[in-house]
Amino acid sequence: MTIAETAYAKINLALHVRKRREDGYHELETLFAFVDAGDRLTASPAKQDAVSAVGEFASGLDDPFDNLVAKALGKLPRNGGLAVTLEKILPVAAGLGGGSADAGAVFRIVREQHGLPDDWHARATALGADVPACVESRTCIGRGTGTDLEPADDSLSGTPVLLVNPRQPLATGPVFKLWDGADHGPLPEGNAREIALAGRNDLEKPAIELCPVIAQILDEMRGTDPFLARMSGSGATCFALYDNIPARDAAAETIAASHPDWWQLKGLLR
């Protein structure tokens, strides 16, 4: 039996960096949300685990056998192997949690076939800070390094969203290294919409220093009258939220006409 799963694109509606920790990581407060589109995985029973990658951004994976799909398979005990094909639709190193979303999809595939061990959260955390949130791929608040999860309401569910990336990968480490080290305050309180509107992304400024085109993307997105436009994660993807689908689609057409080389994805928030 073949199982198909979507690795839903992750966006950070708000991302507040509070302090640098002694272990080298950063204390975060973030509002995760997920788009109803992303990479696609298909899995079928096999004698042993195997991973293959196809799609537009498959070449961005240095080693398909050492990516987060393969690592997630290795973290989850079960009888028999899985042959997984990853169709890489999301850009790599783009602030969309692409690899983490892929790993989250593997957890859901294994859960459907075999169930997950009681310590699945710790296993997911070992793969990366975004992976636990990507397992359920629902709007939630992340604290600590992003792995301490709290439920959030679904007041933004169904919101039309446009993602734009300049096709320039941006590694997380250098962006955090340029963070100014200042605590600009906690995540706001309220429902998801209120938190998103009153929040910020503290990595936006350092990301723009490394990848100046991000500022241009944000300017052009804000010119299409969304109710929110912001960079996601550590960049370089930016998102815009709209009140209706026609407004989102018109914005996508406008931006594509002037920048046909930029990557786009249209969807709805889950």
Side-chain angles (χ1 to χ4, degrees), residues 164-208:
V164 176
N165 180 280
R167 296 182 186 272
Q168 295 182 26
L170 186 58
T172 299
V175 176
F176 270 102
K177 191 172 182 179
L178 283 180
W179 172 60
D180 63 10
D183 182 356
H184 297 286
L187 206 64
E189 296 184 358
N191 63 30
R193 186 184 180 102
E194 292 166 340
I195 293 171
L197 290 174
R200 59 182 190 273
N201 185 341
D202 288 331
L203 298 180
E204 200 168 281
K205 183 178 178 182
I208 289 172

Side-chain angles (χ1 to χ4, degrees), residues 35-117:
V35 183
D36 64 351
D39 294 341
R40 288 193 279 266
L41 288 80
T42 54
S44 56
K47 291 184 179 180
Q48 60 185 22
D49 291 338
V51 179
S52 59
V54 299
E56 181 179 1
F57 295 102
S59 62
L61 303 175
D62 294 332
D63 181 356
F65 299 99
D66 191 39
N67 63 25
L68 280 175
V69 171
K71 291 179 178 178
L73 289 169
K75 286 286 185 184
L76 297 172
R78 67 212 123 84
N79 295 321
L82 284 172
V84 179
T85 299
L86 166 64
E87 184 181 1
K88 195 67 186 155
I89 294 169
L90 300 177
V92 176
L96 296 174
S100 298
D102 296 339
V106 171
F107 273 65
R108 294 193 299 277
I109 289 169
V110 171
R111 179 173 64 190
E112 182 175 337
Q113 287 197 328
H114 305 280
L116 290 176

Side-chain angles (χ1 to χ4, degrees), residues 86-174:
L86 166 64
E87 184 181 1
K88 195 67 186 155
I89 294 169
L90 300 177
V92 176
L96 296 174
S100 298
D102 296 339
V106 171
F107 273 65
R108 294 193 299 277
I109 289 169
V110 171
R111 179 173 64 190
E112 182 175 337
Q113 287 197 328
H114 305 280
L116 290 176
D118 292 341
D119 63 345
W120 70 265
H121 187 280
R123 294 171 187 258
T125 297
L127 293 170
D130 287 344
V131 177
C134 288
V135 173
E136 296 299 340
S137 291
R138 294 290 183 182
T139 304
C140 62
I141 293 171
R143 302 187 191 274
T145 60
T147 61
D148 301 334
L149 303 179
E150 304 171 9
D153 68 276
D154 61 354
S155 57
L156 286 172
S157 179
T159 298
V161 57
L162 174 66
L163 306 180
V164 176
N165 180 280
R167 296 182 186 272
Q168 295 182 26
L170 186 58
T172 299

Side-chain angles (χ1 to χ4, degrees), residues 12-19 26-31 142-144 176 179 182-189 195-196 198-203 230:
N12 301 85
L13 294 176
L15 176 57
H16 295 204
V17 185
R18 304 301 304 279
K19 66 178 181 180
H26 292 76
E27 198 77 17
L28 308 175
E29 296 177 1
T30 186
L31 178 61
R143 302 187 191 274
F176 270 102
W179 172 60
D183 182 356
H184 297 286
L187 206 64
E189 296 184 358
I195 293 171
R200 59 182 190 273
N201 185 341
D202 288 331
L203 298 180
R230 186 168 287 153

